[in-house]
Amino acid sequence: MSEITSIEPQVKDKERCNVYVDGRFYCGIKLEVAVKYHLKAGMQIEKSRLDEIQLETEKSQALDKAMTHLSATMKTKKQMRDFLYKKGYTEAVAGYVLERLEYYKFIDDNAYCRAYVNSVKGKGKRAMEIDLIKRGAEKDAIEQALAAVEEDADEAAALLEKYMRGKESDKQTLYKGFKYLLSKGYGYDTAKAALEKVGGDEDY
């Protein structure tokens, strides 16, 4: 059994309050819900009961907020889960919302990764992979999307030419340009082919 140690009105939304359990923030709920269920500081309660209360009273609102958040750009499943947790929803509510969003294909890590790799320019496969990992995309979705990507030596050469602009085309600068392409996530073979396209024939 846990204890509600504090219930405090939210700063940005006076109609909602933050519930603290055992001294730590646990969830956010409507003030009217707190009153309806007689929640108050000092009350002994199972965390699972708070999950049930929030799921019962706020799942529709949480889904609406998630849909609004999705309206701007696509999101990975992890990004949406983090958003819901940040809004003060419990794991039970977040799970309900994510299940609904996945069912209706509003979130789909496979589609997200495909859209990402098709839209990115000036980055190699490794850099794309790192970006998608940071965004929380599922491993299988990342691998499937990247499997369809063929690094473009012409694109890498154009990036190298931009990097070389105003610089001497000596061996040292070309080597720095080669490392620059590697830092952009291009594979060794692609970076070497790009180097050859701009006149560098050294072995690195």
Side-chain angles (χ1 to χ4, degrees):
M1 189 73 71
S2 298
E3 179 182 333
I4 296 177
T5 47
S6 178
I7 298 179
E8 302 176 4
Q10 292 185 358
V11 175
K12 294 183 179 180
D13 188 347
K14 299 301 182 181
E15 295 183 356
R16 293 179 62 79
C17 59
N18 293 328
V19 179
Y20 293 81
V21 175
D22 297 332
R24 294 185 177 184
F25 172 76
Y26 187 71
C27 68
I29 58 174
K30 295 178 182 177
L31 282 170
E32 63 186 62
V33 172
V35 173
K36 177 182 176 180
Y37 288 93
H38 308 292
L39 303 180
K40 58 184 179 180
M43 180 180 181
Q44 299 293 310
I45 191 169
E46 294 287 355
K47 290 181 180 179
S48 59
R49 179 54 183 152
L50 285 174
D51 292 351
E52 291 173 0
I53 290 172
Q54 195 190 58
L55 181 60
E56 176 187 339
T57 61
E58 304 210 354
K59 62 183 181 182
S60 294
Q61 183 186 56
L63 185 57
D64 287 342
K65 287 186 177 181
M67 291 295 295
T68 299
H69 188 55
L70 275 170
S71 64
T73 58
M74 293 177 69
K75 303 291 190 301
T76 65
K77 184 177 181 178
K78 182 181 184 302
Q79 286 174 329
M80 284 307 306
R81 182 184 287 108
D82 290 347
F83 167 78
L84 291 166
Y85 287 163
K86 187 176 180 180
K87 288 296 181 181
Y89 292 111
T90 62
E91 184 176 346
V93 174
Y96 167 82
V97 172
L98 292 172
E99 188 275 330
R100 292 287 85 196
L101 294 177
E102 285 188 302
Y103 180 81
Y104 290 108
K105 300 296 183 182
F106 288 116
I107 54 172
D108 182 336
D109 276 15
N110 286 298
Y112 181 96
C113 291
R114 288 195 300 269
Y116 173 82
V117 300
N118 288 333
S119 66
V120 170
K121 302 296 181 184
K123 287 186 179 182
K125 292 175 72 170
R126 179 54 184 159
M128 293 183 194
E129 180 183 16
I130 291 171
D131 280 350
L132 288 169
I133 290 172
K134 288 179 179 178
R135 296 171 189 218
E138 294 177 348
K139 183 179 179 181
D140 288 347
I142 295 174
E143 291 177 350
Q144 289 180 25
L146 291 177
V149 174
E150 292 187 12
E151 290 187 337
D152 189 338
D154 289 333
E155 181 182 275
L159 191 64
L160 180 58
E161 287 175 348
K162 185 176 180 180
Y163 172 83
M164 296 290 295
R165 199 170 296 155
K167 298 181 176 71
E168 291 291 333
S169 295
D170 55 29
K171 184 174 181 178
Q172 183 178 6
T173 306
L174 285 168
Y175 178 59
K176 288 181 179 179
F178 177 75
K179 290 202 299 182
Y180 172 73
L181 291 179
L182 295 180
S183 75
K184 286 294 184 179
Y186 287 102
Y188 176 88
D189 291 341
T190 305
K192 188 70 169 63
L195 191 67
E196 292 171 355
K197 285 178 179 292
V198 299
D201 56 3
E202 291 83 357
D203 285 327
Y204 295 120

